[in-house]
Each structure stands twice: as C-alpha cells, then as structure tokens.
Amino acid sequence: MFTKVLVANRGEIACRIIQSCQSLGIKAVAIYSEADRDARHTQLADEAYEVGPARVFESYLNVDKILAVAKEAKVNAIHPGYGFLSENSDFATRCHEEGIVFIGPAPETITIMGDKVSARNHMKKAGVPVIPGSIEPITSAEEAVSFAKEQGYPVMLKAAAGGGGIGMEKAENEEELKKAFQSNQRRAMNYFSSGSLYIEKALESPRHIEVQIIGDRRGNVIHLGERDCSIQRRHQKVIEEAPALDLSEDLLTRLRKAAIQAAKSLQYENAGTLEFLVEDGEFYFLEMNTRLQVEHPVTEAITGIDIVREQLNVAAGGPLGIGQSQVQLRGHAIETRIYAEDPNTFFPSPGTIDVFNIPEDEFIRLDTGVQNGTEVTPHYDPLLAKLIVNGKSREETMEKLQKTLALCDIQGLKTNIPFLRAVTDHSDYIAGKITINFVNDHF
Amino acid sequence: MAKIEASMAGNLWKVLKQQGDTVEAGEEVAILESMKMEIPIEAETGGEIKAVMKAEGEFVDEGEALFEIE
C-alpha cells in the first residue's frame, strides 16, 4: 500500500479523500490556491503546499507545479478526486512518466471515454445500447439540421469533450437547433478548448440511472448497484439516491451486465461509473465517468464499502477486497447537494458563511469542505456540502431527510436548501415519479 | 453616459463588443464565469459602446463597470 498520497483537489472531495487515506495510515498531502490558504482541506492534510493564485489554470490545473510538489513531498500516488485533472489523460501520463501512480484508470481509457463520440462508438462495439446519434462530430449547423430531419425532433446537442452539463442543449425545432449550435460551439470552445459537438435524438422523459463499477489490474470487475440521479437543474445533479426505484429485475440484470461488459471491454481498473438514460423499460449509454463521482456516498451507504479505500487498494496493485457475491445492497440512501446559489434562479451566490449548522445523527453523513467563516469565492464550483441520509426503506429515509433539511441553517450567502426542501416535500418526488424533467416541470 | 456593470463577481470570460459597436437593449455584450457557470451580461439600453473598461481574463467584482454606453 502507499505511504503518502497527494490529493490534487479541493473542497469536500479533498477532505473526504484525505480522511480515507489517514484511516489507512497513509499520509495525505494537500495542495491549495492562494484563495484556499485557510480552507478545511488544507488544514486536514498532514502536509499542504500552495500551488498558485486563485484561478484554476494557475493552481489546481497547474500540472507542472503539482508534479513538482508531488516530487518534493515524495508521494507514491496522486488522487485527482473529481473535476480538475481527474479525467485528463495527459496528466495521468505525466504522473506515470514521473513514477507516480495516478489513482484512476489507464490514460488510454480516459482518452476513449473523454471524447463522447469515441465513447459512444466504443460502447456500440462492446454491445451496449446507445441513443441514435451522430457517428462523427458535426461541424456545421446544417449538418445538425439534416440529422434532425432524418431522426425527428427533439434532439440534444452536446460538446464532445463536455461534462457537467456544460455545452448541452435540447432543441425542439430547426430554429432552436441553429441557435443552439452557435451558442454551444462557443461554450464548448470556452470550457473544453474544443468546439467539437455531436447530436443525439432526445428522449422524452427519461430517468438518469448509473451503475458504479470498480475493477482491479487482474481483470476483476464488480458493480456496486445503481443510483438514480434524475433530479437535476441546469443538467447538473442535485439529489441522488440508491438503490434506484422501480427497476424490473430483468432491466437491472441487463443494466449491470452492460456496465460490466463495458468496463471489461476497456480492461478498466479503478472506480468508474456507467451513466444511462432509462425510458420505457429500455436503457441507453450516456457516458462513462472514469473517476470517483460526487454522489458515491449513497452507494457507500447501502453497500458499506469505502470506495476511496478500494481505489487506493487497486491503484497500489492489490486485488479487489470484495467479490461480486459479497456485495449486498441494504436499505436506502439519499444525497442532497447543498450549493451556494439562489434557490429560485440557481444563479451562483458567493459570499462568507456566517452560520453553518447541519444536524448530526448516526443516520446522517455530511461531506463538506466549508465551516463557519469560510469565504466561498466565485473561482470554484458552488458545492458547499453533501448531506447524505440513510434508512431502512425509501419512506424512512425521506422522512429523516425532510426533518434534517428543515433544521439545516446556513447564513451569510444564499443556498439551495429551500429548493431541496421543496423538492423533497413534493408529492411526485415522494411518490417516486421522477425523471430528468422533474425540476423543469415543477419549478 | 451609462455603464454596463457586472451582475456578480467572476472572471470575465469573453468581451463580445468593442469600442464603437452599436448594441440593442438586451443584447449580450460579455460573458462572466462565476462558480463554473456562464453568466451573460446584457446591455440594459441600446446605444454605442464608448469604452471597454475590462479585459478578458480579468477578475471583476459585483457592480464593477465593464462598458460605458451612450
């Protein structure tokens, strides 16, 4: 096992990884930007190094600086968390070249799955159902229109290098599609340095269901069940739960089989997630995230497995600590993401946290990188904390969640807690009538 | 002379209009990036851009003037 790991991230996920490292007796090294000098992850780590100014390109994405710190601190491995460098195959390659283990899959796998067009084509070959869409990136609005004429509206335009819902837009007709093409291309170029887009037939009212997998270097791949992540705003997840509701045994079997098949076709090692859209008893591959995901705690809650621990273990060359038959799904868990944003417009709300009171109880897990007095800057994403509640059944979990949310008190900036309360009190949410259109339909 | 201000703190991603350009009310003149979200900045009134006061890549505070418009 490793003796020292650098955590190339910030916020709640850096804290969470640091804690798993320390519980295994591994020393954790944090990096921080000037804006994060007093951040919680900086304080929790055994050692911490400043890597540059607040802007991410100069700090958390500054590969040369991060590798220099890794060498100076003499770490064995780097855990990239999610976002930032977690799906950057060049960074993974650089780590290998420097003799440092990148905690994640092989760089080639990241490359294939990082481009959504090549990912779709790979999955098709592996026998995993994909949504009808363009085989090659589309380069003009005319091409997009001609695809839509063949397949019919609505269609979805997406950035080939995209993620996090950025550069993604639904179009109901030709006029909307032409407009969406221009704005999405610009957005894709801004955010991913690639204006490459692709187009898919849009499903009417699907659910977002994903399968957590983990593989080791010996070719073993297991799944840890499904999560339902249908509650989204701006194409980004807000509430996730496990297990996913009301999926037939037949569908579950096919989904899990497809996820394992996909991972094996990539000789996948480490943790990963196969995301699918599910509609009318059928499922379609959406994308694969070749990293730890924000919502992994709901899976941990129902399996009792520490996914970060398993990541560290397999990255160190060990076999998976558990076999498929030992994975048991027990009870229910729901995660709500607490964002610094206006609960009505979902616009960002930076500021200083004056009060940060979240109830504590044995059924509550709070993953956070902030505390009283933390200044939440505009430089990073608005996620303040993840509140994960678990219970024996969905009903019990929801009741506990509603009571917990009612007691949450964060002051000094706007948060989406009123929105989370409104969703979890909504009769359709309680009844499990959730699709990816839930927020648009009801709020 | 009126000013077009940043609606929130963030990085100025794109300046879409230059000095001398004529814009209509509601037209996008710049894009801010704040907490990983793209925030379009629109002209409240139409007119001619007299001055561009910030450069792309600069960090701006809420209420800071980005353009002068007449």
Side-chain angles (χ1 to χ4, degrees):
Chain A
M1 184 47 97
F2 306 121
T3 53
K4 210 174 189 188
V5 169
L6 183 144
V7 182
N9 216 300
R10 65 178 300 283
E12 68 85 19
I13 198 61
C15 297
R16 187 258 172 278
I17 296 164
I18 290 167
Q19 283 163 334
S20 266
C21 286
Q22 290 172 337
S23 75
L24 288 167
I26 300 170
K27 289 237 180 321
V29 177
I31 56 167
Y32 61 94
S33 70
E34 279 170 21
D36 278 341
R37 198 165 286 154
D38 301 320
R40 193 162 167 265
H41 78 277
T42 312
Q43 294 166 0
L44 276 182
D46 298 285
E47 290 171 38
Y49 295 79
E50 190 176 309
V51 288
R55 294 192 67 191
V56 293
F57 291 106
E58 296 169 71
S59 51
Y60 295 105
L61 292 177
N62 186 341
V63 170
D64 290 333
K65 181 75 191 176
I66 292 168
L67 287 173
V69 167
K71 284 208 252 173
E72 188 188 337
K74 296 190 174 63
V75 303
N76 318 111
I78 296 182
H79 196 309
Y82 54 69
F84 293 138
L85 296 166
S86 62
E87 291 176 293
N88 182 322
S89 56
D90 292 340
F91 179 65
T93 304
R94 287 284 303 277
C95 289
H96 293 312
E97 284 168 359
E98 301 288 349
I100 298 163
V101 175
F102 173 81
I103 300 175
E108 300 76 34
T109 307
I110 301 175
T111 303
I112 297 171
M113 290 298 120
D115 182 276
K116 307 305 173 200
V117 178
S118 77
R120 283 167 50 85
N121 291 337
H122 181 93
M123 289 304 163
K124 255 194 210 168
K125 277 188 208 140
V128 178
V130 299
I131 301 169
S134 52
I135 298 156
E136 295 291 330
I138 46 167
T139 52
S140 68
E142 289 67 40
E143 260 182 78
V145 169
S146 116
F147 171 89
K149 271 187 185 147
E150 255 172 53
Q151 296 286 335
Y153 288 92
V155 291
M156 272 308 250
L157 261 183
K158 296 181 181 180
I166 296 163
M168 193 168 148
E169 214 168 321
K170 193 173 175 181
E172 302 279 353
N173 53 50
E174 191 171 323
E175 196 190 337
E176 278 183 20
L177 182 56
K178 282 181 175 165
K179 219 173 135 190
F181 187 88
Q182 307 305 342
S183 58
N184 265 11
Q185 196 167 44
R186 193 197 68 218
R187 235 173 256 143
M189 189 58 97
N190 278 350
Y191 278 86
F192 312 113
S193 306
S194 155
S196 178
L197 300 180
Y198 71 103
I199 188 165
E200 279 179 359
K201 179 97 187 74
L203 301 179
E204 289 294 337
S205 223
R207 289 166 66 193
H208 178 121
I209 307 288
E210 57 187 36
V211 184
Q212 173 74 57
I213 59 104
I214 187 156
D216 63 20
R217 271 186 216 166
R218 298 146 205 236
N220 302 309
V221 180
I222 59 167
H223 73 81
L224 303 180
E226 299 72 32
R227 298 186 281 257
D228 186 319
C229 310
S230 299
I231 306 286
Q232 308 180 356
R233 56 96 180 91
R234 294 199 269 115
H235 304 298
Q236 279 188 316
K237 299 162 189 169
V238 193
I239 301 178
E240 303 98 341
E241 61 184 287
L245 296 179
D246 300 330
L247 297 180
S248 70
E249 275 307 314
D250 169 59
L251 184 70
L252 277 178
T253 308
R254 287 188 292 131
L255 257 181
R256 292 167 178 177
K257 201 176 145 202
I260 300 270
Q261 206 171 309
K264 287 202 165 169
S265 75
L266 290 157
Q267 295 174 302
Y268 197 87
E269 54 175 83
N270 220 282
T273 299
L274 277 301
E275 298 195 337
F276 298 97
L277 289 180
V278 173
E279 190 171 70
D280 300 330
E282 291 303 325
F283 65 90
Y284 307 90
F285 170 77
L286 192 60
E287 62 178 43
M288 181 176 193
N289 291 137
T290 54
R291 55 167 165 82
L292 184 67
Q293 276 193 295
V294 179
E295 60 273 25
H296 75 276
V298 290
T299 298
E300 294 186 326
I302 65 158
T303 59
I305 294 165
D306 180 333
I307 296 174
V308 173
R309 209 176 168 122
E310 285 302 321
Q311 283 193 291
L312 291 162
N313 175 34
V314 298
L320 279 171
I322 17 132
Q324 190 66 65
S325 60
Q326 292 161 284
V327 178
Q328 290 190 9
L329 310 179
R330 286 202 190 96
H332 203 88
I334 305 177
E335 170 180 291
T336 53
R337 299 190 190 187
I338 301 176
Y339 287 123
E341 67 183 22
D342 185 295
N344 300 310
T345 62
F346 308 131
F347 265 57
S349 176
T352 302
I353 298 176
D354 298 329
V355 174
F356 189 75
N357 276 337
I358 309 284
E360 285 178 38
D361 213 316
E362 58 184 12
F363 58 83
I364 295 171
R365 167 174 166 181
L366 184 77
D367 284 15
T368 185
V370 300
Q371 54 207 1
N372 265 338
T374 297
E375 192 197 340
V376 181
T377 71
H379 299 288
Y380 312 113
D381 78 39
L383 184 65
L384 297 179
K386 303 183 314 203
L387 175 70
I388 305 106
V389 169
N390 69 285
K392 289 196 189 79
S393 62
R394 185 174 191 259
E395 290 67 34
E396 187 189 304
T397 310
M398 241 171 352
E399 275 175 36
K400 286 176 171 175
L401 177 64
Q402 287 161 343
K403 284 181 187 158
T404 307
L405 281 172
L407 295 170
C408 286
D409 182 21
I410 301 176
Q411 289 176 28
L413 39 66
K414 288 184 195 166
T415 76
N416 65 336
I417 290 174
F419 169 72
L420 295 172
R421 287 181 190 138
V423 173
T424 52
D425 287 340
H426 196 285
S427 56
D428 278 2
Y429 176 77
I430 293 168
K433 290 183 195 163
I434 47 180
T435 72
I436 61 168
N437 301 328
F438 183 90
V439 174
N440 279 346
D441 289 348
H442 299 294
F443 291 89
Chain B
M1 190 90 73
K3 288 188 166 63
I4 304 175
E5 296 170 350
S7 52
M8 62 179 60
N11 292 309
L12 189 58
W13 256 109
K14 291 276 166 202
V15 174
L16 303 171
K17 298 290 170 189
Q18 307 309 321
Q19 192 177 346
D21 286 352
T22 307
V23 298
E24 286 172 26
E27 202 174 333
E28 255 182 52
V29 292
I31 302 164
L32 272 184
E33 196 252 345
S34 184
M35 294 178 127
K36 285 178 74 185
M37 187 176 172
E38 224 186 38
I39 318 279
I41 304 294
E42 294 169 359
E44 277 180 31
T45 53
E48 189 190 328
I49 302 284
K50 289 289 180 192
V52 181
M53 303 165 86
K54 295 282 168 187
E56 280 183 12
E58 258 188 274
F59 186 81
V60 296
D61 276 321
E62 186 180 344
E64 256 192 274
L66 306 177
F67 300 89
E68 274 183 355
I69 185 168
E70 193 172 62

